[in-house]
Amino acid sequence: MKAEERIIQLREMIREHDYRYYVLGEPIISDYEYDQLMKELIELERQRPELITPDSPTQRVGGEPTEEFPTVTHPTPMLSLDNTYSEDELRDFDRRVRTFLGGEEFRYVAELKIDGVAISLIYRDNILVQGATRGDGFHGDEITQNLRTIRSIPLRLKEEVTDCEVRGEAYLTIKEFERINREREQRGEKLFANPRNAAAGSLKLQDPRLVSERRLSFLAYWLNLSAGVIKTHGEALDLLSRLGFVVPPHRKGCQSIEEVLDFCREWEEKREELPYEIDGVVVKVDSFDQQGRLGTTAKNPRWAIAYKFAASQATTVLRDIALQVGRTGAVTPVAVLDPVRLAGSTISRATLHNEDEIRRKDIRIGDTVILEKGGDVIPKVVGVVREKRSPDSVPYVFPDRCPVCGSPLHREAGEVAVRCENLRCPAQLRRRIQHFASRRAMDIEGLGEAIVDQLVDEGLVKDYADLYYLKAEDLIPLERMAEKSATNLITAIQNSKKAPLDRLIFAIGIRHVGTNVARVLAREFRSMDRLSRASLEELESIEEIGPTIAASVVRFFAEEENRRVIEKLRRAGLRFALEEEEFKPAGPSPFEGKTVVLTGSLSRYTRDEAGELIRRLGGKVTSSVSKKTDLVIVGESPGSKYEKALQLGLATATEEEFIKMLREVGVEA
Ligand SMILES: [Zn+2]
């Protein structure tokens, strides 16, 4: 068989298996067999790149990260639905429709309302050409590459309908949502409050590969064909299924609002059985003709409404308030509860958010509390049953010491979170070390998460300074650590001592001090010693440093434990001062006094590195293009900044030209 034919055959097979797996949920081959087909296709397409088409299953994850999403105008506005929260309100809606249609017969379609992100997909000649978010209803972000990664969105429709627009909801199943939050917790990142937030956040990611890892799903509930052959919403749902989409569970042909209410009650009971979160039922008049006559108000269609389910509540006794220290040092109060059933699961812990929340609701240990589980998967305490409070109960006093390490807790002005800022706090140690070793910090290659875990678990490292005192023989007994890799890691650690001062300032993990602020601090103070002695006034007098950062720096160096760790770093021989001679351009800098903007991705440098070079050569890097911009450096797939630069007639340089400029002053090898 010729490669062309085999490629077409493989694509059809993979498409069919995707459909069976992601849409029907009935796979007929194993993951292994599937992977083999995909591998073969990737290999053939690698040999014959001219045969790659946008609807090939290999194109789901591809494309480069985008800097900003282009705005698109929706063919027709994506209106939001009016909400109702009671059966009576739903009956009112029915009366309005009935009156408007003047006794004409009509039907409703009721379908589950998935808690996700509304999306529009445009197909031309059956192939997905554009996907966009709802945005403000009229204009949305074009996120086609991100949407391609969703396996339940067909890249090619299963039936010929030529051009159409499909709308629906991109969402995360509860299982994937929990997986993502678990992974975020391990990395010390902020958790998503609910699957909807997680889905929305995922679609905003600029790297399609990262979006792909989120494993989003899609449900379709609206179809507009360029050549109209369907007359009702029910027919549209059937056709969407045939085109290869999953449609939400629904009931067609409801003759009365009571029938619709039956459907609502049934699913309000059964919602826990679904693999995804629903927040209600959407009720639509079935006939497109009648929909058209009902029309829309300024904001909502008159022919549809969303019936929202009530949040589930339960009461139980709060036995204790436990404090959890996250990997970033944030301390979260958690209610320890007598186990109670709530919306299908047993709850024994619930978040109390923060000190203010506890005080505002006057939650006390021993209280009977009201728990609620609404759109958020995480149950929360919404109030106290005062009548059941014991007469000898006392208001809760928030501890002022870290429950893990005993250090004093800090609360910044204007913030609700309370934090432990001790560098050696065991609860934060893993994350501190990972940050210290990360690429933009000390850049210690080979010090991955698994090794950090082992170093901490074995007690080999109690703060990041201990890294520099490790010897290869300490590492060899660790799991999966050969002599060679142990030596390599020690070498990498020792080499990192040469990192410049600003990277070290970033690495030590002062709250609010990111790479840019670290650079400013290095430039202004020129040594770790001077920085550690800096007063609030001195820090605040620097243009780029606000009161929050200044206070954070002072507090960091005031902590005795922290000063001890920094001392250990000095003894290990890290660079504590700016070394001017390491960066002497061989000639007048082409960037001196210039305002430079970077757009698109460069292949030789990260954006940060390129920016750092320009700054060191006396230039200023800004993020937006204006008339004041002197030069725009344009990498791969530049965004609108490039267009704006052209419009303004600004000087631009390609990456090659940029490297050439660096070479001329001897900065680039
Ligand atoms: Zn602590």
Side-chain angles (χ1 to χ4, degrees):
M1 191 185 298
K2 288 208 304 225
E4 287 95 320
E5 287 168 39
R6 181 62 180 160
I7 285 176
I8 290 169
Q9 192 185 42
L10 282 166
R11 284 178 190 162
E12 270 166 19
M13 286 161 76
I14 292 169
R15 245 176 239 136
E16 188 58 27
H17 290 307
D18 277 346
Y19 176 70
R20 285 180 172 276
Y21 187 93
Y22 293 102
V23 177
L24 302 180
E26 296 163 355
I28 51 166
I29 59 168
S30 69
D31 291 352
Y32 174 78
E33 289 166 294
Y34 178 89
D35 291 343
Q36 294 308 307
L37 295 175
M38 194 57 121
K39 261 192 205 153
E40 189 184 345
L41 179 59
I42 290 169
E43 178 53 26
L44 285 173
E45 287 186 352
R46 197 187 58 78
Q47 291 165 11
R48 304 286 302 276
E50 74 280 8
L51 297 177
I52 297 175
T53 57
D55 64 328
S56 171
T58 58
Q59 300 304 298
R60 285 202 182 269
V61 186
E64 288 301 304
T66 42
E67 196 175 329
E68 38 214 317
F69 300 117
T71 302
V72 292
T73 305
H74 298 302
T76 56
M78 292 177 80
L79 297 175
S80 59
L81 296 184
D82 201 3
N83 290 323
T84 60
Y85 296 90
S86 70
E87 297 196 350
D88 282 346
E89 284 177 2
L90 193 55
R91 289 196 184 92
D92 288 343
F93 163 77
D94 175 56
R95 265 190 292 276
R96 289 196 299 273
V97 170
R98 225 161 262 288
T99 310
F100 196 99
L101 292 176
E104 227 174 86
E105 263 203 34
F106 68 96
R107 300 269 186 279
Y108 287 118
V109 177
E111 64 198 25
L112 297 188
K113 185 173 181 301
I114 280 71
D115 212 3
V117 179
I119 292 298
S120 149
L121 302 170
I122 293 185
Y123 288 84
R124 286 224 176 82
D125 293 326
N126 291 299
I127 290 176
L128 176 68
V129 293
Q130 182 188 296
T133 60
R134 179 178 173 278
D136 63 3
F138 299 92
H139 313 279
D141 286 341
E142 197 250 271
I143 51 164
T144 317
Q145 275 306 338
N146 286 352
L147 291 170
R148 280 173 177 284
T149 66
I150 303 178
R151 302 292 173 139
S152 40
I153 293 180
L155 300 180
R156 169 193 283 271
L157 300 174
K158 281 178 77 69
E159 265 184 31
E160 297 284 319
V161 289
T162 65
D163 298 351
C164 66
E165 185 191 1
V166 173
R167 290 178 188 171
E169 208 85 350
Y171 68 95
L172 277 166
T173 61
I174 296 168
K175 207 173 114 208
E176 296 298 345
F177 163 71
E178 286 172 347
R179 171 186 63 84
I180 291 166
N181 262 356
R182 249 191 334 268
E183 291 171 3
R184 290 174 78 82
E185 191 167 17
Q186 278 166 14
R187 289 194 300 264
E189 293 168 0
K190 197 172 177 313
L191 301 190
F192 288 117
N194 55 44
R196 187 191 55 246
N197 288 351
S202 303
L203 289 172
K204 279 192 205 129
L205 292 171
Q206 281 155 340
D207 187 345
R209 275 164 300 204
L210 298 180
V211 183
S212 169
E213 287 166 12
R214 295 288 171 87
R215 295 180 220 154
L216 290 151
S217 304
F218 182 78
L219 279 173
Y221 51 63
W222 189 89
L223 172 66
N224 188 19
L225 293 175
S226 57
V229 286
I230 46 171
K231 291 194 169 60
T232 66
H233 181 60
E235 287 170 33
L237 289 176
D238 290 342
L239 181 53
L240 282 167
S241 294
R242 296 203 303 277
L243 293 177
F245 291 95
V246 187
V247 297
H250 60 274
R251 183 178 293 172
K252 287 196 282 258
C254 299
Q255 301 198 29
S256 69
I257 203 68
E258 292 310 315
E259 224 178 297
V260 170
L261 279 166
D262 277 346
F263 180 82
C264 295
R265 289 183 203 119
E266 181 189 328
W267 279 103
E268 191 154 9
E269 286 279 304
K270 289 199 300 190
R271 60 195 286 197
E272 302 302 322
E273 295 168 18
L274 291 164
Y276 44 77
E277 291 265 317
I278 57 171
D279 59 356
V281 169
V282 175
V283 184
K284 294 172 178 168
V285 170
D286 193 24
S287 147
F288 287 161
D289 170 51
Q290 286 168 334
Q291 284 184 7
R293 280 186 283 133
L294 280 155
T296 63
T297 66
K299 285 197 312 224
N300 320 110
R302 281 197 201 89
W303 45 267
I305 202 152
Y307 170 77
K308 295 277 193 116
F309 293 151
S312 321
Q313 285 194 340
T315 59
T316 188
V317 177
L318 178 122
R319 289 293 167 201
D320 195 9
I321 295 176
L323 293 191
Q324 239 171 33
V325 187
R327 287 159 54 102
T328 57
V331 177
T332 316
V334 177
V336 181
L337 307 160
D338 278 354
V340 61
R341 292 285 293 175
L342 174 62
S345 45
T346 303
I347 312 292
S348 56
R349 289 167 90 82
T351 177
L352 292 167
H353 299 288
N354 53 56
E355 188 182 359
D356 289 359
E357 277 283 300
I358 298 177
R359 193 174 310 129
R360 199 166 57 77
K361 293 177 184 151
D362 187 19
I363 297 168
R364 304 178 181 188
I365 293 170
D367 273 350
T368 298
V369 294
I370 305 161
L371 278 182
E372 190 174 288
K373 192 165 176 265
D376 293 4
V377 168
I378 305 156
K380 54 188 176 201
V381 174
V382 293
V384 172
V385 185
R386 291 292 170 103
E387 301 74 46
K388 293 198 177 172
R389 173 171 284 169
S390 137
D392 50 4
S393 90
V394 288
Y396 178 71
V397 182
F398 206 89
D400 57 359
R401 299 240 155 213
C402 172
V404 178
C405 71
S407 293
L409 295 175
H410 294 284
R411 180 172 169 174
E412 279 172 20
E415 266 198 41
V416 287
V418 172
R419 289 174 189 278
C420 166
E421 295 189 340
N422 173 13
L423 274 186
R424 293 171 60 95
C425 177
Q428 308 165 52
L429 190 51
R430 284 174 171 78
R431 185 178 148 86
R432 291 259 183 206
I433 296 172
Q434 278 162 16
H435 170 81
F436 185 83
S438 65
R439 224 167 71 73
R440 293 187 305 165
M442 303 308 277
D443 193 15
I444 304 175
E445 209 178 311
L447 196 61
E449 239 173 87
I451 293 176
V452 172
D453 282 350
Q454 291 190 66
L455 291 174
V456 173
D457 291 342
E458 298 294 321
L460 287 167
V461 171
K462 295 214 161 54
D463 55 56
Y464 43 61
D466 285 342
L467 291 171
Y468 294 100
Y469 299 88
L470 286 172
K471 295 184 187 64
E473 55 264 37
D474 297 330
L475 302 180
I476 292 166
L478 299 181
E479 227 175 281
R480 286 190 302 273
M481 179 67 78
E483 202 174 322
K484 177 115 176 57
S485 40
T487 317
N488 286 347
L489 180 54
I490 297 293
T491 309
I493 292 171
Q494 293 302 321
N495 283 344
S496 74
K497 287 179 182 172
K498 290 184 227 130
L501 179 62
D502 62 311
R503 295 243 303 270
L504 179 61
I505 293 174
F506 173 63
I508 58 177
I510 307 170
R511 201 165 139 67
H512 301 301
V513 175
T515 50
N516 280 319
V517 173
R519 238 173 258 131
V520 171
L521 294 174
R523 185 191 72 204
E524 294 294 323
F525 292 95
R526 316 188 85 77
S527 82
M528 187 65 93
D529 294 331
R530 242 172 285 160
L531 176 64
S532 69
R533 289 193 305 266
S535 67
L536 263 184
E537 297 69 42
E538 258 179 285
L539 284 155
E540 281 188 42
S541 69
I542 301 165
E543 198 194 325
E544 294 100 326
I545 308 293
T548 311
I549 300 174
S552 175
V553 171
V554 170
R555 210 165 53 233
F556 181 92
F557 289 106
E559 189 92 46
E560 206 187 311
E561 287 264 26
N562 293 358
R563 281 205 308 270
R564 263 206 293 275
V565 176
I566 302 296
E567 239 359 81
K568 266 159 75 181
L569 289 176
R570 181 208 306 281
R571 282 204 309 277
L574 277 77
R575 284 198 178 174
F576 266 43
L578 211 57
E579 298 197 19
E580 315 277 344
E581 65 284 1
E582 74 190 80
F583 201 83
K584 279 247 174 67
S589 159
F591 303 108
E592 187 63 50
K594 298 267 173 72
T595 301
V596 183
V597 172
L598 293 153
T599 177
S601 52
L602 303 177
S603 55
R604 169 129 11 158
Y605 300 104
T606 66
R607 196 86 69 84
D608 275 338
E609 290 163 348
E612 191 170 320
L613 285 170
I614 294 165
R615 257 181 238 108
R616 288 181 171 199
L617 286 164
K620 189 172 136 195
V621 179
T622 60
S623 58
S624 60
V625 171
S626 74
K627 272 184 270 177
K628 288 186 192 145
T629 309
D630 296 302
L631 178 66
V632 179
I633 295 171
V634 184
E636 273 296 304
S637 29
S640 59
K641 289 179 194 172
Y642 179 51
E643 281 166 38
K644 193 158 177 211
L646 292 180
Q647 274 168 22
L648 294 172
L650 301 173
T652 62
T654 62
E655 179 172 9
E656 262 172 56
E657 288 164 334
F658 172 55
I659 291 170
K660 210 170 139 223
M661 291 159 102
L662 294 174
R663 270 198 196 122
E664 277 165 12
V665 287
V667 169
E668 164 68 30

